[in-house]
Amino acid sequence: MSDSRKIAIDVRGAVKRYGDFTALNTVSLSIYDNEFFTLLGPSGCGKTTLLRMIAGFEEVTEGAIFLFGDEIADLPPNKRPVNTVFQNYALFPQMTVLDNVAFGLEMRGQSRPESRRAAGEMLELVQLSDFASRRPAQLSGGQQQRVALARALAPKPKVLLLDEPLSALDLKLRKAMQMELKHLQRETGITFIFVTHDQEEALTMSDRIAVMSAGALQQLGAARDIYERPHNMFVADFIGETNLLEVTVREVRDGRAICSLGGGHILSGKSDQEVRIGARVHISVRPERLFMSDAPTDAEGLRGRVRENIFAGTDITTLVDLDEGPNLVVRTSNSDRGNKRIFEPGSAVYVNMEQEAARLLMD
Amino acid sequence: MAGGTASSGGTAADTYKNARPWLLLPAWAFLGVFVLAPVFMMLVYSFLTKEFRGGVIWEFSTAAYDQFFFNRGLFGDEPPTIEWTYIAIFWRSIWQAATATLMALLIGFPTAYFIATRPEKLRPMWVFLITIPYWVNLLIRTVSMKFMLRDNGPINDFLVGTGLINEPITIINTNFAVQLGLFYSYLPFMVLPIYASVERYNFSLSEAAADLYASKWVTLRRILLPAVKPGVVAGCILVFVPSLGSFLAPDLLGGAKNFMIGSLIEEQFKGNAGNWPFGAAASMVLLTMVLILLLIFARQQARAQKGTG
Ligand SMILES: Nc1ncnc2c1ncn2[C@@H]1O[C@H](COP(=O)(O)OP(=O)(O)O)[C@@H](O)[C@H]1O
Ligand SMILES: [Mg+2]
């Protein structure tokens, strides 16, 4: 990541309306230079809209977007030092792969031989040199995807926009491309703004993630930060897997809210916000931050009975029915088997939380 | 055409495959009766001897073609020189038709682009609006045009009225009037095929070009035009070919000296003054030329296709 922390893209209070439908509602975020930044959210939440506003294909209804400190509202797409990898690739069908990649360089005024030479180098980088003289239609989906990437990278933009570039690829290819993209970003030092609806992909690849929902920014932070300290129920639920428990606040002590779940269960969680005694709130705990024991380890052990163990390669997922309460998902990594126990279905157990594992969520 | 051989355990598709030659019969019959037979008759008539009050005498002769291409003097006894009269008419026809096609392209392309970029629900309405004037008979439209273009017609009145010009300009009975007439007669044939191909165009290609620093003009020339070329070529053929053989617009708007090949042919079959074999021969020359042009286009298309495929 950059050491200077220069801001590449600054979105300030951006609103986008189509008629009376608000696709993007007052989004403000700063994207640093050399950063792998991800816009994450479910389909229809406005990711593409924001990306298209940065590229210049959509006008900003309200607010402004700054590129390295300059407002870019008046710059048409072909004057913005920003390139896009389109979701459907949008390769020029009548041109060869090489000409596709050389197009942007030529448009920037490089001579034809010079731009073709540089395009050839770009193709080497994405390992497609052998396909230079083919037409896009003669390539597989994954190859087309790499051509689109090479074409967008060739003019050395300051910022690269990628709109769900991997969504059309099968799982194995997608995983390989994730690594390749990450490497490319590190090597080139270009700021990547990556759009995806796949939270796992976002967590693996990003320096920072902006989680969006219904046209609004929900949380912005480092991947780990968002996973471990979700701001609200949407983020907790959307990122990774979590146990969401509805509880009542009984007492607040040292910034921790002690809550009751019903059925005599007591559990406590940290909150960033002020909480009121008696409020109905949610507590979120990641399954891997829970562990089981046959005796309570402290006052907050949740009593229950194991219903089922599900083996899934690297870990085991256990479903526990709490006595007179909801069920919990507990995940035990196989590498943790030394200090974490697995119980047979039907066993009575106590479910315990690791330190700081529980998060109090107000909405 | 593949013959239908009976196959055991055939699927429904096989059944239809076997029946295909028979299913095509009506189409072949139609083509035979209404296209091939008339062309064949014309070919035969062009090699017959003319009868003086119209009609033909059934006697082989190449006089019609001879008259078209060669000049043997007033009494037909001089050594043959090339007859330029009809070639000139031909040349003028090509020129007029080509100009009209170019005008139709310049107006038709932006129109088609405009319609294809309207919201999907509104496009049929725009197409309908374009075709409305063409529900009126061509003759009536051309006569109206003659009225519009007159020295003291609405167009000149308007131009003089606004002070743009001091005196009416003569449009009627010029080459330009004929070009305007042809252009207007066949404009929808340009708009509709181009519209169809622009509508199928993937506009994210234009966005990709703009994203890669291409100006609007370069995007049009290097990305959009190659993609919609089949529609453009079809439109040009559909305007050029009927313009070439047209006689209404040249007769009504061009006057006697702006004669085109269509009028020449038409006259040979009118009343008693005509010359049927000569008219048939001129038609054959026209047909041959159109076919050659179409073949050249088809060859080019095929080559372009091979490059893409
Ligand atoms: N041109 C448009 N006109 C009207 N609504 C649009 C238009 N483009 C996008 N939308 C709407 O804006 C919302 C956000 O769309 P989009 O940015 O494409 O979402 P995402 O990329 O996150 O799936 C969607 O509800 C979509 O229907
Ligand atoms: Mg999208």
Side-chain angles (χ1 to χ4, degrees):
Chain A
M1 215 184 294
S2 121
D3 34 12
S4 58
R5 304 260 84 184
K6 197 158 66 169
I7 290 174
I9 299 265
D10 203 10
V11 181
R12 294 191 199 159
V15 174
K16 179 69 194 180
R17 283 192 210 97
Y18 296 107
D20 16 313
F21 175 73
T22 306
L24 218 57
N25 194 359
T26 335
V27 169
S28 296
L29 47 87
S30 300
I31 298 164
Y32 295 114
D33 198 11
N34 299 348
E35 178 171 44
F36 199 118
F37 190 91
T38 296
L39 295 172
L40 172 66
S43 180
C45 73
K47 308 179 297 287
T48 298
T49 304
L50 181 54
L51 212 63
R52 289 172 60 80
M53 286 182 357
I54 296 172
F57 300 128
E58 302 280 356
E59 279 180 16
V60 185
T61 312
E62 274 170 35
I65 296 176
F66 294 80
L67 180 70
F68 290 99
D70 298 322
E71 236 244 72
I72 49 172
D74 295 332
L75 280 187
N78 60 336
K79 299 270 166 61
R80 299 188 183 193
V82 164
N83 285 161
T84 308
V85 177
F86 291 83
Q87 187 164 5
N88 61 6
Y89 311 145
L91 298 174
F92 305 131
Q94 76 280 9
M95 293 185 198
T96 63
V97 165
L98 188 71
D99 286 340
N100 262 280
V101 179
F103 189 83
L105 294 162
E106 229 179 290
M107 292 301 122
R108 291 211 112 173
Q110 290 196 22
S111 72
R112 209 171 153 76
E114 173 57 23
S115 50
R116 293 181 133 228
R117 193 196 53 73
E121 276 175 18
M122 226 38 240
L123 282 178
E124 225 163 273
L125 190 63
V126 296
Q127 291 146 35
L128 279 178
S129 302
D130 295 346
F131 300 87
S133 56
R134 295 229 193 148
R135 310 259 166 185
Q138 296 168 307
L139 301 183
S140 72
Q143 290 166 337
Q144 290 182 20
Q145 208 284 320
R146 297 221 293 278
V147 177
L149 190 63
R151 185 180 70 174
L153 278 173
K156 302 211 163 37
K158 289 188 170 164
V159 177
L160 187 72
L161 311 175
L162 304 103
D163 193 356
E164 311 217 9
L166 309 181
S167 62
L169 307 182
D170 61 56
L171 185 67
K172 215 164 168 183
L173 196 53
R174 197 157 76 222
K175 295 271 181 216
M177 277 306 294
Q178 286 175 1
M179 301 307 290
E180 208 168 313
L181 273 179
K182 187 84 192 154
H183 286 151
L184 269 175
Q185 195 269 328
R186 290 238 178 86
E187 273 168 43
T188 57
I190 293 172
T191 308
F192 275 36
I193 305 181
F194 184 87
V195 164
T196 182
H197 63 260
D198 181 341
Q199 48 95 16
E200 207 182 317
E201 188 166 276
L203 291 175
T204 339
M205 302 177 73
S206 324
D207 293 327
R208 288 194 310 149
I209 300 173
V211 185
M212 295 173 61
S213 160
L217 182 64
Q218 300 296 326
Q219 188 169 355
L220 175 65
R224 176 140 199 181
D225 197 39
I226 282 187
Y227 184 79
E228 288 179 355
R229 283 179 292 280
H231 280 342
N232 58 29
M233 295 231 323
F234 175 83
V235 177
D237 197 33
F238 191 73
I239 312 282
E241 201 180 340
T242 196
N243 293 291
L244 271 181
L245 304 168
E246 200 181 351
V247 295
T248 309
V249 180
R250 291 293 174 216
E251 206 186 324
V252 180
R253 202 193 300 149
D254 311 331
R256 293 186 71 81
I258 297 163
C259 311
S260 69
L261 179 61
H265 299 296
I266 298 291
L267 64 170
S268 67
K270 241 182 119 96
S271 172
D272 303 332
Q273 288 149 288
E274 193 99 343
V275 280
R276 208 164 31 77
I277 309 277
R280 298 288 285 170
V281 296
H282 283 84
I283 278 185
S284 157
V285 202
R286 300 289 180 194
E288 71 275 14
R289 307 287 304 269
L290 294 172
F291 61 95
M292 293 166 289
S293 58
D294 46 14
T297 56
D298 57 27
E300 290 183 12
L302 303 170
R303 210 163 14 82
R305 197 169 287 277
V306 174
R307 192 201 308 166
E308 195 179 2
N309 284 316
I310 300 156
F311 175 75
T314 56
D315 49 45
I316 289 175
T317 301
T318 308
L319 298 181
V320 179
D321 294 323
L322 295 186
D323 295 351
E324 293 165 63
N327 21 359
L328 288 177
V329 180
V330 180
R331 183 156 304 132
T332 313
S333 162
N334 285 337
S335 58
D336 256 357
R337 293 280 285 282
N339 31 20
K340 290 188 181 178
R341 282 183 62 187
I342 301 290
F343 292 84
E344 290 303 309
S347 323
V349 292
Y350 285 88
V351 179
N352 314 284
M353 293 181 197
E354 290 176 3
Q355 287 252 306
E356 308 299 325
R359 296 277 308 166
L360 211 66
L361 303 173
M362 316 301 266
D363 54 357
Chain B
M1 188 110 303
T5 50
S7 65
S8 56
T11 61
D14 286 336
T15 315
Y16 286 121
K17 207 180 205 169
N18 293 341
R20 199 178 286 166
W22 301 109
L23 292 175
L24 279 174
L25 198 63
W28 283 113
F30 183 88
L31 277 177
V33 173
F34 292 105
V35 179
L36 297 177
V39 169
F40 183 71
M41 269 164 67
M42 228 159 54
L43 184 67
V44 171
Y45 271 58
S46 70
F47 286 105
L48 293 179
T49 308
K50 82 168 173 183
E51 166 87 81
F52 278 99
R53 278 150 295 147
V56 288
I57 301 166
W58 282 84
E59 210 168 273
F60 179 81
S61 158
T62 55
Y65 290 96
D66 195 85
Q67 184 187 345
F68 193 95
F69 290 111
F70 301 109
N71 181 354
R72 294 174 194 276
L74 203 51
F75 303 102
D77 51 2
E78 290 167 29
T81 54
I82 298 220
E83 170 63 80
W84 289 107
T85 315
Y86 304 116
I87 295 174
I89 292 175
F90 239 94
W91 176 243
R92 179 160 60 228
S93 305
I94 292 173
W95 171 250
Q96 297 286 70
T99 314
T101 305
L102 187 68
M103 286 164 60
L105 182 62
L106 289 180
I107 302 292
F109 190 91
T111 310
Y113 187 89
F114 173 84
I115 300 175
T117 49
R118 289 316 92 193
E120 207 167 340
K121 273 182 288 181
L122 298 181
R123 289 177 211 159
M125 182 200 74
W126 282 104
V127 171
F128 180 68
L129 286 180
I130 289 285
T131 52
I132 281 184
Y134 297 87
W135 294 69
V136 176
N137 179 285
L138 177 62
L139 176 64
I140 293 169
R141 268 185 290 135
T142 313
V143 171
S144 320
M145 191 120 177
K146 187 183 175 90
F147 170 78
M148 296 279 292
L149 297 177
R150 277 185 327 195
D151 287 1
N152 51 357
I155 290 182
N156 267 314
D157 281 356
F158 174 77
L159 290 176
V160 173
T162 56
L164 246 64
I165 52 173
N166 295 325
E167 279 170 36
I169 39 173
T170 306
I171 307 173
I172 202 76
N173 295 344
T174 61
N175 274 337
F176 179 60
V178 178
Q179 290 158 8
L180 267 183
L182 293 174
F183 152 77
Y184 178 57
S185 301
Y186 302 113
L187 182 60
F189 296 120
M190 183 65 86
V191 174
L192 294 179
I194 296 182
Y195 161 70
S197 57
V198 175
E199 201 196 19
R200 260 179 292 138
Y201 174 68
N202 174 7
F203 277 91
S204 61
L205 295 180
S206 289
E207 287 188 345
D211 192 64
L212 293 163
Y213 316 103
S215 63
K216 287 222 161 75
W217 167 243
V218 172
T219 304
L220 172 76
R221 204 164 45 81
R222 294 204 35 194
I223 310 296
L224 177 66
L225 274 184
V228 301
K229 195 174 146 209
V232 172
V233 170
C236 287
I237 291 174
L238 288 177
V239 173
F240 181 78
V241 171
S243 293
L244 192 59
S246 180
F247 57 85
L248 268 181
D251 278 6
L252 290 172
L253 305 173
K257 60 185 193 321
N258 294 305
F259 218 60
M260 278 172 62
I261 188 76
S263 317
L264 177 72
I265 294 170
E266 184 211 5
E267 293 218 326
Q268 306 311 318
F269 295 97
K270 241 171 38 183
N272 288 342
N275 179 343
W276 286 22
F278 182 70
S283 299
M284 288 314 293
V285 176
L286 180 65
L287 182 69
T288 310
M289 225 175 56
V290 168
L291 281 181
I292 289 174
L293 280 177
L294 287 181
L295 272 177
I296 292 174
F297 271 133
R299 286 273 290 270
Q300 262 184 355
Q301 291 286 91
R303 206 171 301 150
Q305 209 68 45
K306 221 160 113 194
T308 324

